[in-house]
Each structure stands twice: as C-alpha cells, then as structure tokens.
Amino acid sequence: QVQLVESGGGLVQAGDSLTLSCETSPRTFSTYAIGWFRQAPGKEREFVAAISQFGASTEFADSVRGRFGISRNYHRVLYLEMNSLKPEDTAVYFCAASGEFLSLVSGSAEYWGRGTQVTVSS
C-alpha cells in the first residue's frame, strides 16, 4: 500500500519561504517517483515538481523553476522548498506518486495525498 501525508502549509506573505513535507510509505521511497501538484479554486490541478525514485532526476513547472526545490531523504520524506512566494502560488498542494517519473511530470499519478493549503498574501 502507498500512503502519502502532506504537512507544512500555512499563510505567508509574498516573498516569504515555506517548506512542505510529504511522509511516504517504505515502498513509495524506492519504487515510486513522487512529486507535487497544486490546485486553486476554480482551476484544474497542475503539476509543480517531481523527483525520481532515488533522486537522480528532478523536474519543475516553468512557473516555479528557479524558486522551488524538491528533495527526498532516507527516512521516506519528500520536501518541497518554496522561495520567493507569490500570491499566484496560493493553492492546495498535493503530494503524488507514480511508477513512472515522466508520467508524473505529465500529470498522471497513481496515488494522491489529501493536500495541504498554502496561502500567499500580497
């Protein structure tokens, strides 16, 4: 079974930094690529960032590249480091897992967390 639990969301000011965490199951750490998606009210869910099974590859959406970082550790925790946050980053952020890294980048995931709210005030 694959379980994903996000945490770390909150209310911040534009320009601030915030780091989200996603706790994953043991199998998820080695077998699945994991990443982040986000969804704002009235909008479709969009890809944010992803990292391959053992961290060899990473990918970011154009809107966050250069501002966000993604990493995973040996304790099965995925991180999304967000810097220079903008009001446009406001959304519910979801942790997701897929057996294929490129599929995840393309928007397809087999498992999803329940999400954590990030609100950036101008």
Side-chain angles (χ1 to χ4, degrees):
Q1 297 295 320
V2 175
Q3 294 183 312
L4 307 168
V5 182
E6 308 95 332
S7 63
L11 174 64
V12 297
Q13 295 291 320
D16 284 354
S17 296
L18 190 67
T19 298
L20 304 182
S21 299
C22 174
E23 185 177 356
T24 66
S25 60
R27 173 168 283 275
T28 304
F29 179 78
S30 60
T31 305
Y32 293 87
I34 47 179
W36 296 91
F37 289 77
R38 66 186 182 186
Q39 186 172 28
K43 301 185 68 177
E44 296 295 321
R45 182 175 294 180
E46 64 176 344
F47 169 78
V48 176
I51 187 166
S52 59
Q53 282 80 344
F54 287 96
S57 301
T58 60
E59 186 57 84
F60 299 89
D62 291 341
S63 60
V64 305
R65 188 176 295 110
R67 297 190 296 122
F68 290 12
I70 189 169
S71 63
R72 63 160 91 198
N73 65 19
Y74 293 109
H75 301 293
R76 302 179 291 278
V77 180
L78 171 72
Y79 299 100
L80 180 68
E81 181 182 332
M82 305 183 291
N83 301 298
S84 301
L85 284 164
K86 306 174 181 179
E88 305 90 85
D89 295 318
T90 295
V92 175
Y93 283 70
F94 298 89
C95 183
S98 174
E100 292 287 344
F101 175 66
L102 293 180
S103 293
L104 187 61
V105 172
S106 298
S108 178
E110 299 171 58
Y111 304 96
W112 299 87
R114 293 185 175 184
T116 185
Q117 177 71 47
V118 173
T119 301
V120 184
S121 177
S122 60

